[in-house]
Amino acid sequence: MSTDIHLAFAHPEERAEATASADPRDRIALRDYLVEAEIGAFQTERGHSQRLMFNVVVEVRPPQGPIDDDVDRIMSYDTITEAITDALAAGRLNLLETLAESVAERILTHPRAMRAFVRIEKLDRGPFKLGVEIARTRAATPLQVEGNATHPLVVYMDNAAIAAPDFSDRIDRLEARDAPIILCAGLPDLPRPEVAVRAVQQRIDLLSVGLNAWALAARDRRCLVVESRTEIDWAIRQGRTIVWAPSKLVLDAPDGPVNHAHNGPALALWLAETLAASALLLPWGVTLPAGTRIPLETFPG
């Protein structure tokens, strides 16, 4: 059985571990939580309740400083069970998918919750279990520019897009959308050092992506390379088209995607989630990890 197939049927806790970010987060798990509720789109499911089994894993930010055995310094298990109770109490639903989305959305309002895996199974539809499983990531607080929330467009450009003869025309079309633009690159089509020490290789990869960001910026005078959150804020206030060099932000963030240092689209997705972007634009055929709540569009769109 392939790894993908194995993870498709694995418990959410195993999936959370397999897709963890670079710096391990704490996890809270709820296993085999059984409730009864009326749910379902079929007429035979109306007018009576059926058993639902919930399995939920939540990745949370590690606490800053000691816990001191204080319940107020952790995310309580009640946050998960109350999210389920509140989602079911909000009204009758037809779809497990809708219920799972509602549960994840409620969990991710907790300030420490970063990612939620929610599996719901119907136990009474036959001699088997029918269910859905979703993974959702918490979008960060949007940028604040002059007191107003700002949701930038994050655009991942592969090497073909960077080299495209109509590069400046594409920037024109992006700027016409009247939102801050942040361009992201991946690894360049050039040899780079390869070493056996993983942490060193990750930094080499991030620096290589940064070099490609400079090459991208050289295609159009409007592009400004930035590295830090402060530089991003300043460049947006100045109305500049931004090119992101990822090394500093990724390495400084407690949950930065260092494990994806070689993966330009994954880095762009992390930035989009960190900045609560209005959308992430991608070239045709580019794939991303599942579960993002950021709207995806095809570049140039």
Side-chain angles (χ1 to χ4, degrees), residues 37-287:
E38 183 183 338
I39 188 171
F42 292 98
Q43 195 62 39
T44 55
E45 296 179 287
R46 296 182 179 274
H48 61 87
S49 62
Q50 56 184 304
R51 293 178 300 160
L52 301 178
M53 181 76 77
F54 289 80
N55 282 277
V56 180
V57 175
V58 185
E59 293 182 350
V60 299
R61 292 186 187 275
Q64 300 298 311
I67 295 176
D68 293 330
D69 206 32
D70 183 353
V71 69
D72 291 333
R73 291 189 55 78
I74 57 96
M75 177 177 165
S76 171
Y77 302 104
D78 291 341
T79 300
I80 304 175
T81 57
E82 288 171 1
I84 294 170
T85 299
D86 292 345
L88 289 170
R92 189 190 187 284
L93 298 173
N94 289 331
L95 301 177
L96 288 181
E97 288 84 352
T98 307
L99 177 58
E101 287 276 1
S102 179
V103 171
E105 186 80 22
R106 294 168 191 276
I107 290 171
L108 291 169
T109 60
H110 192 283
R112 288 189 58 207
M114 297 304 295
R115 191 164 60 152
F117 295 78
V118 180
R119 175 183 290 177
I120 311 174
E121 296 168 306
K122 293 182 179 181
L123 305 185
D124 298 327
R125 288 283 292 161
F128 40 69
K129 297 178 181 179
L130 298 175
V132 300
E133 180 174 333
I134 67 170
R136 295 294 181 266
T137 301
R138 176 176 180 260
T141 302
L143 290 165
Q144 299 290 323
V145 178
E146 297 179 353
N148 298 316
T150 299
H151 299 271
L153 282 172
V154 175
V155 183
Y156 172 71
M157 305 189 80
D158 60 12
N159 292 324
I162 294 172
D166 64 342
F167 179 89
S168 290
D169 292 338
R170 297 185 182 197
I171 301 301
D172 289 339
R173 292 196 293 273
L174 289 169
E175 290 189 343
R177 297 181 60 154
D178 196 28
I181 306 298
I182 304 178
L183 306 177
C184 301
L187 289 171
D189 290 328
L190 297 170
R192 67 186 190 282
E194 295 186 8
V195 299
V197 181
R198 185 181 184 190
V200 175
Q201 186 64 54
Q202 290 167 341
R203 282 154 179 77
I204 290 172
D205 291 343
L206 287 171
L207 290 172
S208 297
V209 173
L211 290 174
N212 211 21
W214 282 98
L216 189 163
R219 295 298 316 279
D220 192 293
R221 288 180 176 272
R222 289 170 288 183
C223 296
L224 175 69
V225 178
V226 302
E227 296 182 345
S228 68
R229 180 66 178 260
T230 299
E231 289 177 308
I232 291 174
D233 294 346
W234 179 86
I236 287 178
R237 288 195 296 271
Q238 301 303 310
R240 300 294 299 270
T241 293
I242 297 167
V243 181
W244 180 49
S247 183
K248 177 174 175 54
L249 265 180
V250 169
L251 293 175
D252 286 350
D255 59 345
V258 179
N259 281 347
H260 296 299
H262 63 289
N263 187 335
L267 293 175
L269 174 61
W270 177 80
L271 181 68
E273 291 175 341
T274 299
L275 301 180
S278 60
L280 171 61
L281 279 61
L282 303 158
W284 283 104
V286 173
T287 59

